[in-house]
Amino acid sequence: MAKKAEANKNKNNGDADANSNDDTHQQRVAKTQKMQTIRTLLQAYRSREKDLATVGVKNTGNFEIINDRVHHSLHHNTTATGRLSSRNPNAQSIPKTIVRRMFRSRFGRENGSILEADFSQLEVVVLACLSKDQQMLKDLSNKVDFHCKRVAMMKSPKFSYDEVIQKTKVEKDPQFVRWRQQAKVFSFQRQYGAGAKQIAESSGLDMATVNALMVSEDATYSGVSKYYDRAYE
């Protein structure tokens, strides 16, 4: 009888330990899920806060409202490069997130719409006109994406221009999209007079890649290189 009682006691203790372990595991799972939920909410909050700061909606009291419409202000003397900047709100950089809904028209459609107007590759057009580089003028006429073309230059001969276009524009391959963004930084910064070191720091490209791309670009658009030489004299 004593042995049987001891066996039952051990069994009960074992069941209690098992239940305790199950409870502890469930508590840990619940705590982990709660932390993940909090982390997700914080990330969403920070993302929205960043979007709002980019547009400048925190200072809505500075908005100029005419005929029930918000009019942003354009400034031509606040950037080092001379490019136009927009404020109150920054209508040039409205994030493609939920924040954009704040600026959509509500006429005619339930979800509203937003009209964007911009010059396509304006800096390149001006540079082509000033330098009269025949290859650049030809590329403009053929609607070449200059940023994708520079990616092809960087990755030649592994990827052709058409392959870069396919990967970037059609397939939206994250790696190619990132390369195009880096090439875009290269394009604008070099045109505004930045050197290889500055371009490398801003774009995330290494110095060897930046220097090689400069050489390739000078060979492709030799008229632009000659124009720069004349302009600096």
Side-chain angles (χ1 to χ4, degrees), residues 72-106:
H72 70 149
S73 57
L74 289 170
H75 304 263
H76 67 276
N77 58 354
T78 57
T79 64
T81 60
R83 300 187 74 186
L84 287 174
S85 64
S86 172
R87 292 181 181 175
N88 301 325
N90 181 5
Q92 290 179 323
S93 301
I94 301 178
K96 295 181 180 179
T97 62
I98 191 173
V99 175
R100 180 165 288 217
R101 295 181 190 174
M102 298 171 60
F103 296 90
R104 286 181 176 172
S105 166
R106 291 296 180 264

Side-chain angles (χ1 to χ4, degrees), residues 45-186:
Y45 173 78
R46 289 172 180 171
S47 177
R48 296 292 179 269
E49 188 177 45
K50 181 180 179 182
D51 290 344
L52 292 172
T54 298
V55 179
V57 297
K58 288 186 175 182
N59 300 317
T60 53
N62 295 329
F63 286 7
E64 183 175 6
I65 302 176
I66 303 175
N67 297 328
D68 295 326
R69 290 172 174 80
V70 175
H71 294 259
H72 70 149
S73 57
L74 289 170
H75 304 263
H76 67 276
N77 58 354
T78 57
T79 64
T81 60
R83 300 187 74 186
L84 287 174
S85 64
S86 172
R87 292 181 181 175
N88 301 325
N90 181 5
Q92 290 179 323
S93 301
I94 301 178
K96 295 181 180 179
T97 62
I98 191 173
V99 175
R100 180 165 288 217
R101 295 181 190 174
M102 298 171 60
F103 296 90
R104 286 181 176 172
S105 166
R106 291 296 180 264
F107 295 104
R109 294 180 60 184
E110 180 180 352
N111 295 325
S113 59
I114 185 168
L115 175 66
E116 297 180 70
D118 191 13
F119 290 104
S120 178
Q121 305 183 114
L122 179 60
E123 290 88 352
V124 179
V125 174
V126 173
L127 182 59
C129 292
L130 291 174
S131 66
K132 296 180 173 58
D133 182 272
Q134 294 304 303
Q135 184 59 53
M136 186 170 283
L137 290 169
K138 181 180 178 180
D139 286 349
L140 281 171
S141 179
N142 292 332
K143 302 186 184 302
V144 166
D145 185 304
F146 285 85
H147 306 316
C148 284
K149 183 167 183 175
R150 286 182 174 86
V151 172
M153 290 179 181
M154 286 193 292
K155 303 302 176 182
S156 178
K158 187 174 182 179
F159 296 106
S160 66
Y161 170 75
D162 290 337
E163 289 173 324
V164 173
I165 287 289
Q166 175 67 25
K167 290 285 188 180
T168 307
K169 299 291 188 178
V170 180
E171 299 177 18
K172 307 293 184 183
D173 186 296
Q175 181 64 70
F176 282 81
V177 171
R178 186 173 71 85
W179 285 341
R180 185 184 182 277
Q181 181 59 35
Q182 290 177 315
K184 185 176 182 179
V185 174
F186 171 94

